[in-house]
C-alpha cells in the first residue's frame, strides 16, 4: 500500500499523467480516420458541369491535385455562381467507390458482377474483332449505339463510326427535347432547340413543368425564380400534385393528369373570344390561324375555328376538372401580362410527351406573341461548329445504312421522329425487325432510365455483345460484356454544345480539372482506336491522332479561347426577331403545318392498364435531391432526402388520405404497389396535396447497382411504367400508369 | 510484570500487518513505520524514474528523415535566405516544405559530391517521387495557422518559432509521439514543458502567451482572453 501511495505521489510529480492526458486529448480531437484536406497550393479551375444537360459553369477548388470543392462559376451566363446539390457533390463521384478503375471483361454470367481486368489494347482489339465479324458477315446494321445526347464531338465520333461502319441504329435517350424539337420544326420550320427567356418573362404558366425541380437548366431556373419573386413576376403551376414548384407558385391549379393540352386550348379560346391576342403577330407573322382553302378547294379549319368550336371554358372545365371561371381568369391574366411565357414537359422533362399538347402550349405562346421576343420562346440554332469532311463509305456501310432503323423512327409509321429509343426494348423482345448483335452504350444508363425496366433488361440480355463506356458500375454496365470506362467530367476534355432550355446558343469546354484517378480512357480516343483497329474505310474516316487533336481541329481558333474563358455565347445573342426565325415554306409561324397536317390539339393519352383491375393511377414526381438521370445520386444527396420520400430502405408513395381510407391504407403502412408492368413494396404516406385517385412516387431511387451509399434504396419508378406511344409523333407520352395498392 | 524480552516475543507473535496496541510500547511501531516509509520511497522513486526517464523514452519513436538535409550549406548557396525555398505563393499561402519541383530547379542532375545528394537525385528526383519529409513543426489538423499573418503582418522572424534550423548541417532524429502522431517538437524536448527559447515548444499555451503579449484578438466573450476562433476555425 505504501508502495502504491509512493507510486501515486511520484507519478503525480512526474510529467506522465499530464503529458498522457494532453496526448490523448490531441489524439481524440484528430481521429486518424477523419479525412483532413491536404496542405498545399490552392488553385481554382473553371470548367463545365456535364452531370445534367443544364450546362452550368463550375469553379473547382483544388489543393495540389486534389479536388476539395465545386462551386458555381461567378459571372457564367447560365448559373452565375449558383450550383445544385448534385453539382456541388461532384467530388464524391470523382473519388467515390463506384468508379471503374480500368477496362474490364466479363467472366461470370451476365449480371454476376465478375470481371477480369484487361489492357486497353486487348479491350479495343476485342471490340474491333467482334464488330469486324458483323461487317464481314454483311450485317453491320445489327450494331446499335445508345447515347445520352447526339450533339458535340464525342457523340459526333460515335455517329461517324456507325455511319462508316454501316448502321443506322444510333439512338439518343428520350426527353422533352424530342417533342420540343418537333414542335419548333412543325410550327417554325426550324431545326433548333427550344430556348426560354425566363430572365425577362413576367408571367410563367407551367403545364406541370417542375420549373424549380430540374426542368430546363436547373440552376438557371432557380435564379430566374428568385428574380420573379423580387421583381413581382407571376407564376402559375398546373399539375395534379402540390409539388415544390406548385407550392412556390402564386397560383396552383390542380388538373386531372394528362389533360394539360385541353387547358391550353381552353385558354386560347378565352384569349381569342375576348380579342386579347397579339393582333400584329397573328395577322402579320402567322399562318393557319384563320381557316383557309387548300389546293383541292376544301376549307381547312384554322386554329381559331377549332378552338372556338371545341374548347369552351365549360367543356375544358369538364375535361380538366378546373372551374370554368378559373380558366377564364387565368387566360385573361396570361394574355394581359407584358411578357407571358407558357412552358410544358412534366417534372424534369424525362418523358418526351405528346406533340399535340406541346404544340397547343406553343400556340398559346404564339397568341400572345411570345415567340422570338424578350421573355418568350426562342428557337436556338443547332450548334454548327462540327464541319468534318464527308467520310467515304464502302459498299458494306452503304448497304447497312439503307436498312431501316430498328426503333422505327423516321420510318413509314413515324416519319417525324428522329429517335424512338423508348420502344427499342419492346421491338427487340417481340422479335420485330432484325436482331441487334452488338450494342455500344455511352453516357447513359438505359437499364435504369428507360421505361419498362424489366423489358429493357430482357432486351439487353438478348444482345450477344454489349460494350459500356460508363465511368461507374451502373445497372447497364453490370450487364455489359466489356467495360471501357471513360474519364469523368472532372478529368476530361470535351465540348459541351448547349445548355438545355437556355435562350442563347452557348458553346462550352469541359476541361480536365485533375489527372485521371484510374486507368480510364477518353471515350473519344477509344472510338478513334476502335475505328483504326477496324481498318479500311472505317479507319480513314478518323484521321485524327487523338481526340484532343480532333477537338482542337474542330474548334479551330476558338479552342484556346474556350480553354481560357470556358464558354462562348454564339450567334443570335439578342432576341432573334421574327424574320429570320421562321424557316417554314411560308416564312411564317404555322398553327397547322400544311406539309404534315399536324396541329395543336388535345388527344387524350390514356394511362396503361384497365381501370377494373387497377383502380388508381401512379404518377411520378421529380426532386432536386434525387438525380434520376444517367448519374445516380451522390452519397451526400442521399443524406438530404426527406423521410417522406425514403425511410430506411423503403420508398414512400404519396396518396390522398381520402383515397387511402377507401382502400384501408394507414399512414406509414407497408403496401404492395402493382402496375401492369411490375410490382413493388412501398410505404404509404398520406399527402393532402395529391389529387384523390392518384399515387405519386419519387423518381431517382431504387438503384440495384452502384455502392452501398446509393444502391438498394427504394424502388425505380421506370420499372413500374411502360411507354405509351403518342399516335402522332410516336414518342413516349406516358404521364402515369394504372395501379393498385394492397396492404401486406 | 513481563520482561522486555517477553514483550518483544509477544510483539513478534502478533500477526503481521495488525495494529500494535498502546500498551505494547513505541519500539515495534518505529520498525513498521520505517518499512512503510521505505516502501513509500521505493514507490516514489520508481514512479519518478518511470515518469521522468522511462515514459518519455517509450512515448516517442525515433525516425530518420529520408534524406539528411544540410540547411547551412543551402542557405549559403541561395540569395534570399529561408524564403528562397520556403516562400509565399502570390495568394499569400505558404509553401512550407518545398515540393520536388522546387528541388528540381537545381537538382535535376547531381550538383556536388555529397552522397546524400546523389541518393536524393537517384531515388526521388529522377523518379519524380516526392520526398516524404517528416515535418517537425506540423500542428494538429484542428489548428489553423497562417504564416503570412505571423511573418508578414506580425513581422516575426522564422527562428522565433523554428529555431536556428537554418544553421543545421544535418537533420535531427524525428521523434514521433506514439499516441498523437505528432512531433516531439510541439511539446518540446523538455518533458516537463519548461522552455528556454521561444522555439522550444509550440503548444497552445505558447501561441496564447505570444498572442497575449502582442494583443492578438484578446476578445473572447467566454474567457475574456484570446479568441478561440483565431486558431480553431
Amino acid at each position: 500500500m505504501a508502495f502504491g501511495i509512493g507510486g501515486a505521489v511520484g507519478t503525480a510529480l512526474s510529467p506522465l499523467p499530464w503529458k498522457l492526458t494532453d496526448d490523448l486529448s490531441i489524439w481524440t480531437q484528430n481521429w486518424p480516420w477523419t479525412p483532413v484536406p491536404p496542405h498545399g497550393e490552392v488553385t481554382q479551375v473553371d470548367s463545365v458541369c456535364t452531370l445534367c444537360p443544364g450546362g452550368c459553369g463550375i469553379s473547382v477548388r483544388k489543393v495540389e491535385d486534389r479536388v476539395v470543392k465545386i462551386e458555381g462559376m461567378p459571372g457564367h451566363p447560365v448559373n452565375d455562381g449558383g450550383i445544385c446539390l448534385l453539382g456541388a457533390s461532384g467530388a464524391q463521384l470523382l473519388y467515390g467507390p463506384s468508379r471503374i478503375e480500368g477496362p474490364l471483361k466479363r467472366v461470370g454470367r451476365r449480371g454476376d458482377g465478375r470481371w477480369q481486368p484487361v489492357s486497353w489494347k486487348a479491350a479495343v482489339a476485342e471490340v474491333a474483332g467482334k464488330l469486324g465479324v458483323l461487317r464481314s458477315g454483311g450485317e453491320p446494321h445489327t450494331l446499335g449505339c445508345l447515347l445520352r445526347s447526339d450533339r458535340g464531338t464525342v457523340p459526333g465520333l460515335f455517329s461517324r463510326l456507325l455511319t462508316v461502319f454501316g448502321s443506322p441504329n444510333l439512338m439518343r435517350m428520350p426527353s422533352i427535347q424530342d417533342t420540343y424539337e418537333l414542335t419548333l420544326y412543325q410550327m417554325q420550320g426550324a431545326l433548333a432547340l427550344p430556348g426560354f427567356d425566363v430572365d425577362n418573362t413576367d408571367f410563367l404558366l407551367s403545364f406541370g413543368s417542375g420549373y424549380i425541380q430540374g426542368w430546363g437548366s436547373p440552376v438557371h431556373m432557380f435564379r430566374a425564380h428568385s428574380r420573379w419573386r423580387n421583381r413581382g413576376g407571376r407564376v402559375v403551376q398546373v399539375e395534379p400534385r402540390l409539388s415544390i414548384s406548385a407550392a412556390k407558385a402564386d397560383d396552383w391549379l390542380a388538373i386531372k393528369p394528362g389533360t394539360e393540352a385541353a387547358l391550353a386550348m381552353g385558354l386560347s379560346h378565352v384569349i381569342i373570344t375576348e380579342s386579347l391576342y397579339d393582333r400584329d403577330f397573328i395577322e402579320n407573322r402567322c399562318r393557319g390561324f384563320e381557316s383557309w382553302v387548300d389546293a383541292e378547294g376544301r376549307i381547312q379549319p384554322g386554329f381559331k375555328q377549332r378552338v372556338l368550336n371545341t374548347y369552351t371554358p365549360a367543356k375544358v372545365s369538364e375535361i380538366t376538372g378546373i372551374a370554368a371561371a378559373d380558366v377564364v381568369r387565368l387566360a385573361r391574366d396570361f394574355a394581359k401580362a407584358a411578357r407571358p411565357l407558357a412552358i410544358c414537359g412534366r417534372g424534369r422533362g424525362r418523358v418526351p410527351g405528346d406533340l399535340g399538347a406541346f404544340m397547343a402550349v406553343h400556340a398559346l405562346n404564339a397568341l400572345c406573341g411570345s415567340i422570338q421576343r424578350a421573355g418568350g420562346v426562342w428557337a436556338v440554332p443547332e450548334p454548327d461548329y462540327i464541319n468534318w469532311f464527308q467520310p467515304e463509305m464502302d459498299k458494306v456501310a452503304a448497304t447497312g445504312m439503307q436498312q431501316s432503323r430498328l426503333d422505327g423512327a423516321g420510318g413509314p409509321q413515324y416519319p417525324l421522329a428522329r429517335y424512338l429509343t423508348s420502344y427499342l426494348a419492346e421491338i427487340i423482345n417481340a422479335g420485330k425487325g432484325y436482331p441487334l448483335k452488338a450494342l455500344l452504350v455511352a453516357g447513359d444508363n438505359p437499364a435504369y432510365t428507360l421505361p419498362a425496366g424489366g423489358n429493357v433488361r430482357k432486351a439487353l440480355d438478348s444482345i450477344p455483345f454489349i460494350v459500356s463506356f460508363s465511368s461507374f458500375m451502373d445497372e447497364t454496365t453490370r450487364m455489359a460484356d466489356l467495360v471501357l470506362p471513360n474519364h469523368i467530367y472532372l478529368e476530361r476534355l470535351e465540348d459541351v454544345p448547349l445548355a438545355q432550355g437556355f435562350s442563347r446558343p452557348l458553346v462550352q469546354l469541359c476541361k480536365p480539372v485533375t489527372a485521371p484517378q484510374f486507368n480510364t480512357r477518353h471515350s473519344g480516343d477509344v472510338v478513334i482506336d476502335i475505328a483504326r483497329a477496324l481498318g479500311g474505310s472505317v479507319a480513314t474516316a478518323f484521321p485524327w491522332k487523338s481526340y484532343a487533336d480532333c477537338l482542337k481541329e474542330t474548334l479551330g481558333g476558338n479552342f484556346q479561347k474556350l480553354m481560357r474563358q470556358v464558354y462562348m455565347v454564339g450567334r443570335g445573342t439578342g432576341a432573334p426577331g421574327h424574320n429570320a426565325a421562321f424557316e417554314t415554306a411560308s416564312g411564317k409561324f404555322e398553327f397547322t403545318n400544311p406539309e404534315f397536317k399536324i396541329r395543336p390539339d388535345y388527344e387524350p393519352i390514356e394511362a396503361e392498364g384497365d381501370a377494373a383491375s387497377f383502380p388508381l393511377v401512379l404518377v411520378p414526381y421529380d426532386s432536386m435531391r434525387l438525380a434520376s438521370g444517367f448519374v445516380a445520386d451522390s452519397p451526400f444527396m442521399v443524406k438530404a432526402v426527406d423521410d417522406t420520400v425514403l425511410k430506411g430502405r423503403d420508398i414512400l408513395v404519396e396518396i390522398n388520405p381520402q383515397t387511402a381510407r377507401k382502400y384501408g391504407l394507414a399512414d406509414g403502412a407497408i403496401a404492395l404497389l402493382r402496375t401492369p408492368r411490375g410490382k413493388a413494396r412501398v410505404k404509404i404516406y398520406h399527402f393532402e396535396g395529391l389529387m384523390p385517385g392518384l399515387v405519386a412516387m419519387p423518381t431517382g431511387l431504387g438503384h440495384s447497382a452502384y455502392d452501398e451509399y446509393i444502391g438498394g434504396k427504394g424502388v425505380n419508378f421506370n420499372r413500374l411504367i411502360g411507354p405509351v406511344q403518342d399516335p402522332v409523333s410516336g414518342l413516349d407520352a406516358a404521364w402515369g400508369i394504372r395501379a393498385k395498392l394492397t396492404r401486406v | 510484570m513481563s520482561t522486555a524480552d517477553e514483550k518483544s516475543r509477544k510483539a513478534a507473535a502478533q500477526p503481521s500487518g495488525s495494529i500494535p496496541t498502546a500498551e505494547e510500547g513505541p519500539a515495534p511501531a518505529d520498525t513498521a513505520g520505517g518499512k512503510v516509509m521505505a516502501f513509500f520511497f521505493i514507490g516514489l522513486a520508481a514512479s519518478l524514474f518511470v515518469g521522468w526517464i522511462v515514459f518519455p523514452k517509450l512515448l516517442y519513436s525515433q525516425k530518420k528523415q529520408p534524406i539528411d538535409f544540410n540547411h547551412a550549406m543551402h542557405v549559403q548557396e541561395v540569395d534570399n535566405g529561408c524564403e528562397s525555398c520556403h516562400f509565399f505563393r502570390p495568394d499569400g499561402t505558404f509553401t512550407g516544405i518545398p515540393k520536388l519541383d522546387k528541388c528540381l530547379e537545381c537538382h535535376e542532375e547531381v550538383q556536388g559530391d555529397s552522397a546524400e545528394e546523389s541518393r536524393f537525385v537517384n531515388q526521388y528526383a529522377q523518379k519524380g517521387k516526392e520526398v516524404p519529409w517528416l515535418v517537425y513543426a506540423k500542428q494538429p489538423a484542428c489548428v489553423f495557422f497562417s504564416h503570412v499573418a505571423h511573418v508578414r503582418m506580425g513581422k516575426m522572424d522564422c527562428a522565433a518559432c523554428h529555431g536556428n534550423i537554418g544553421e543545421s548541417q544535418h537533420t535531427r532524429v524525428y521523434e514521433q509521439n506514439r499516441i498523437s502522431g505528432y512531433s516531439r517538437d510541439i511539446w518540446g524536448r523538455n518533458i516537463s514543458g519548461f522552455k528556454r527559447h521561444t522555439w522550444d515548444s509550440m503548444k497552445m499555451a505558447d501561441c496564447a502567451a505570444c498572442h497575449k503579449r502582442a494583443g492578438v484578438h484578446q476578445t473572447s466573450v467566454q474567457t475574456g482572453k484570446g479568441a478561440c476562433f483565431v486558431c480553431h476555425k
Side-chain angles (χ1 to χ4, degrees):
Chain A
M1 188 171 165
F3 181 80
I5 295 170
V9 173
T11 306
L13 290 173
S14 83
L16 189 144
W18 325 111
K19 180 80 176 94
L20 215 53
T21 311
D22 185 77
D23 284 346
L24 284 171
S25 70
I26 293 175
W27 178 62
T28 54
Q29 286 174 49
N30 298 278
W31 298 117
W33 55 83
T34 307
V36 177
H39 282 282
E41 186 171 7
V42 175
T43 47
Q44 207 86 19
V45 185
D46 290 341
S47 184
V48 189
C49 182
T50 64
L51 297 178
C52 87
C56 290
I58 51 171
S59 189
V60 182
R61 183 181 154 88
K62 293 197 323 174
V63 176
E64 300 292 325
D65 202 39
R66 177 95 186 175
V67 172
V68 293
K69 193 177 187 192
I70 301 176
E71 295 164 291
M73 181 177 160
H76 191 279
V78 171
N79 57 322
D80 188 20
I83 195 157
C84 75
L85 206 54
L86 178 62
S89 53
Q92 289 194 329
L93 302 178
L94 175 63
Y95 300 119
S98 287
R99 286 289 304 271
I100 298 166
E101 301 187 8
L104 299 173
K105 190 182 160 146
R106 176 168 68 85
V107 286
R109 280 187 315 142
R110 265 219 175 127
D112 274 3
R114 288 197 290 135
W115 304 95
Q116 183 193 344
V118 288
S119 71
W120 276 104
K121 209 173 155 190
V124 167
E126 170 138 6
V127 179
K130 288 265 167 56
L131 300 191
V133 171
L134 298 185
R135 258 174 81 77
S136 54
E139 42 182 19
H141 57 283
T142 58
L143 169 67
C145 180
L146 271 173
L147 303 175
R148 176 157 59 108
S149 159
D150 59 353
R151 297 187 178 90
T153 51
V154 171
L157 288 173
F158 273 104
S159 168
R160 194 174 176 86
L161 177 69
L162 256 74
T163 306
V164 291
F165 186 84
S167 171
N169 288 310
L170 182 89
M171 279 159 278
R172 180 177 79 178
M173 294 306 280
S175 78
I176 53 167
Q177 294 289 320
D178 296 323
T179 321
Y180 258 123
E181 282 169 22
L182 283 183
T183 304
L184 290 175
Y185 185 60
Q186 296 302 310
M187 303 180 96
Q188 300 185 209
L191 283 173
L193 309 156
F196 304 92
D197 189 16
V198 289
D199 293 339
N200 294 308
T201 186
D202 65 344
F203 192 116
L204 183 85
L205 173 56
S206 154
F207 288 91
S209 304
Y211 63 88
I212 46 169
Q213 288 162 279
W215 184 92
S217 178
V219 181
H220 189 65
M221 292 302 290
F222 292 156
R223 302 188 72 84
H225 175 252
S226 306
R227 262 193 293 273
W228 302 326
R229 288 282 151 266
N230 296 333
R231 289 194 204 151
R234 258 191 92 189
V235 182
V236 176
Q237 179 76 2
V238 179
E239 68 171 314
R241 177 178 175 268
L242 180 61
S243 64
I244 290 177
S245 297
K248 292 267 186 187
D250 297 280
D251 273 316
W252 166 46
L253 295 177
I255 189 168
K256 282 186 199 158
T259 64
E260 291 87 346
L263 178 64
M265 296 298 274
L267 297 175
S268 296
H269 182 282
V270 179
I271 291 170
I272 294 170
T273 356
E274 300 191 3
S275 284
L276 296 172
Y277 56 87
D278 184 334
R279 205 164 283 275
D280 174 52
F281 182 75
I282 295 296
E283 284 171 8
N284 301 318
R285 306 284 180 190
C286 296
R287 243 186 57 141
F289 181 70
E290 302 285 352
S291 302
W292 74 96
V293 180
D294 68 9
E296 282 99 50
R298 282 174 302 192
I299 295 176
Q300 295 289 344
F303 178 71
K304 179 177 161 188
Q305 201 61 46
R306 289 192 303 112
V307 164
L308 293 183
N309 288 351
T310 320
Y311 297 100
T312 61
K315 173 84 177 159
V316 166
S317 173
E318 198 182 300
I319 299 171
T320 61
I322 295 173
D326 286 340
V327 176
V328 174
R329 201 181 56 228
L330 177 59
R332 286 177 187 157
D333 289 352
F334 184 74
K336 284 176 184 168
R339 291 179 304 278
L341 171 67
I343 60 171
C344 60
R346 295 181 189 89
R348 183 174 287 161
R350 292 170 300 106
V351 180
D354 59 307
L355 185 55
F358 275 59
M359 287 174 79
V361 174
H362 203 49
L364 183 61
N365 281 318
L367 275 186
C368 297
S370 293
I371 305 286
Q372 309 295 131
R373 73 158 187 205
V377 186
W378 300 4
V380 180
E382 291 262 8
D384 58 357
Y385 57 87
I386 302 179
N387 297 303
W388 296 333
F389 66 94
Q390 196 65 37
E392 204 176 296
M393 286 161 72
D394 62 9
K395 210 175 151 206
V396 181
T399 319
M401 285 302 280
Q402 294 301 314
Q403 294 278 343
S404 57
R405 284 176 64 93
L406 192 56
D407 65 0
Q413 202 178 355
Y414 300 113
L416 297 175
R418 291 168 70 191
Y419 307 101
L420 291 171
T421 315
S422 311
Y423 304 97
L424 184 67
E426 286 189 0
I427 291 165
I428 291 175
N429 292 341
K432 288 187 210 156
Y434 44 86
L436 216 50
K437 293 195 174 160
L439 180 69
L440 312 176
V441 186
D444 211 292
N445 180 13
Y448 178 86
T449 52
L450 282 181
N455 281 357
V456 177
R457 284 177 200 218
K458 195 174 155 205
L460 288 177
D461 219 18
S462 73
I463 300 171
F465 185 58
I466 300 175
V467 183
S468 167
F469 291 79
S470 174
S471 311
F472 304 100
M473 192 45 84
D474 53 36
E475 284 80 359
T476 312
T477 307
R478 277 182 71 97
M479 299 197 67
D481 298 278
L482 201 60
V483 188
L484 309 178
N486 196 0
H487 303 320
I488 83 158
Y489 72 116
L490 297 169
E491 302 164 327
R492 71 173 183 245
L493 186 69
E494 193 174 331
D495 54 324
V496 181
L498 62 108
Q500 178 176 286
F502 189 64
S503 54
R504 286 170 285 165
L506 199 62
V507 178
Q508 308 194 72
L509 190 65
C510 169
K511 56 189 177 189
V513 165
T514 182
Q517 297 296 301
F518 303 110
N519 181 23
T520 52
R521 190 164 161 76
H522 199 298
S523 292
D525 280 317
V526 179
V527 171
I528 295 174
D529 291 348
I530 293 171
R532 220 172 270 153
L534 281 165
S537 60
V538 179
T540 48
F542 294 81
W544 305 285
K545 260 189 269 165
S546 65
Y547 170 72
D549 268 8
C550 166
L551 184 65
K552 280 179 204 164
E553 191 192 304
T554 309
L555 292 170
N558 290 333
F559 180 79
Q560 286 308 329
K561 202 171 168 192
L562 283 167
M563 280 299 275
R564 278 194 309 274
Q565 66 189 40
V566 176
Y567 65 87
M568 276 170 60
V569 180
R571 63 190 163 88
T573 47
H578 295 140
N579 290 334
F582 304 135
E583 298 164 32
T584 48
S586 59
K588 290 183 173 179
F589 183 92
E590 296 278 4
F591 276 97
T592 302
N593 193 313
E595 194 184 338
F596 301 106
K597 300 220 164 37
I598 293 168
R599 54 199 191 185
D601 211 346
Y602 165 64
E603 291 285 349
I605 303 277
E606 299 295 338
E608 183 184 349
D610 67 294
S613 332
F614 300 100
L616 301 167
V617 176
L618 174 68
V619 292
Y621 72 89
D622 299 329
S623 137
M624 278 309 291
R625 299 185 207 176
L626 286 167
S628 56
F630 80 101
V631 175
D633 255 10
S634 61
F636 172 63
M637 286 170 82
V638 174
K639 289 281 175 202
V641 172
D642 274 339
D643 66 356
T644 56
V645 174
L646 180 73
K647 202 161 192 172
R649 290 179 173 275
D650 287 324
I651 191 169
L652 280 88
V653 293
E654 295 173 354
I655 184 163
N656 191 295
Q658 189 190 317
T659 314
R661 267 196 299 278
K662 193 168 150 197
Y663 294 97
L665 299 162
D667 197 21
I670 297 290
L672 185 69
L673 177 67
R674 275 175 194 278
T675 72
R677 296 284 180 165
K679 58 184 180 185
R681 186 189 129 105
V682 297
K683 207 177 173 93
I684 299 294
Y685 171 52
H686 285 190
F687 181 50
E688 296 198 336
L690 185 70
M691 188 176 265
L694 300 184
V695 183
M697 178 183 265
T699 58
L701 287 167
H703 278 285
S704 57
Y706 290 96
D707 48 57
E708 57 180 315
Y709 306 104
I710 299 160
K713 296 174 197 294
V715 177
N716 177 11
F717 176 78
N718 294 320
R719 215 160 54 70
L720 299 174
I721 192 162
V724 177
Q725 211 144 18
D726 169 25
V728 181
S729 64
L731 292 164
D732 176 17
W735 49 266
I737 186 163
R738 293 224 149 255
K740 186 182 181 182
L741 272 173
T742 38
R743 259 193 316 193
V744 285
Chain B
M1 267 179 83
S2 57
T3 62
D5 282 345
E6 278 171 348
K7 275 183 187 169
S8 62
R9 273 200 301 278
K10 273 184 189 172
Q14 292 274 347
S16 67
S18 67
I19 301 156
T21 54
E23 67 256 44
E24 283 166 355
D30 280 352
T31 322
K35 276 184 186 168
V36 167
M37 287 308 281
F39 273 118
F40 175 80
F41 281 113
I42 291 167
L44 183 71
S47 59
L48 287 176
F49 179 73
V50 168
W52 287 92
I53 314 289
V54 180
F55 168 65
K57 285 221 182 309
L58 286 176
L59 184 63
Y60 294 104
S61 66
Q62 312 254 318
K63 288 188 171 172
K64 245 181 82 177
Q65 291 284 3
I67 297 286
D68 185 15
F69 186 83
N70 186 338
H71 268 100
M73 188 270 289
H74 280 86
V75 172
Q76 276 177 7
E77 295 287 325
V78 296
D79 301 329
N80 200 18
C82 305
E83 288 202 28
S84 306
C85 299
H86 309 284
F87 56 92
F88 289 95
R89 299 188 190 96
D91 66 351
T93 55
F94 188 64
T95 49
I97 293 193
K99 295 274 184 212
L100 188 63
D101 282 353
K102 188 73 197 164
C103 306
L104 288 180
E105 286 177 12
C106 302
H107 292 281
E108 247 181 288
E109 300 292 332
V110 180
Q111 301 288 304
D113 48 12
S114 143
E116 283 297 286
E117 192 215 352
S118 59
R119 203 159 67 79
F120 162 74
V121 172
N122 293 332
Q123 288 187 7
Y124 297 99
Q126 287 180 353
K127 291 181 183 166
K129 202 172 125 190
E130 291 288 343
V131 185
W133 298 111
L134 301 161
V135 188
Y136 301 107
K138 188 179 178 186
Q139 288 285 342
C142 56
V143 182
F144 174 85
F145 180 84
S146 163
H147 273 90
V148 81
H150 292 82
V151 180
R152 289 270 196 270
M153 294 156 75
K155 309 268 181 245
M156 285 173 75
D157 195 29
C158 303
C161 300
H162 294 286
N164 299 321
I165 189 148
E167 293 162 19
S168 68
Q169 295 191 340
H170 296 280
T171 53
R172 284 188 283 122
V173 169
Y174 177 90
E175 292 186 66
Q176 189 181 35
N177 188 309
R178 290 183 204 269
I179 298 171
S180 69
Y182 292 97
S183 164
R184 182 172 188 163
D185 289 41
I186 305 302
W187 176 271
R189 307 283 318 153
N190 189 329
I191 196 72
S192 61
F194 292 111
K195 60 194 280 188
R196 282 192 297 152
H197 307 103
T198 49
W199 59 79
D200 280 348
S201 65
M202 281 300 145
K203 290 288 293 172
M204 191 172 88
D206 302 297
C207 302
C210 190
H211 279 186
K212 194 174 175 189
R213 275 200 304 280
V216 179
H217 292 290
Q218 298 298 303
T219 54
S220 169
V221 176
Q222 286 81 15
T223 62
K225 299 180 198 163
C228 307
F229 283 143
V230 173
C231 307
H232 301 291
K233 301 279 180 190

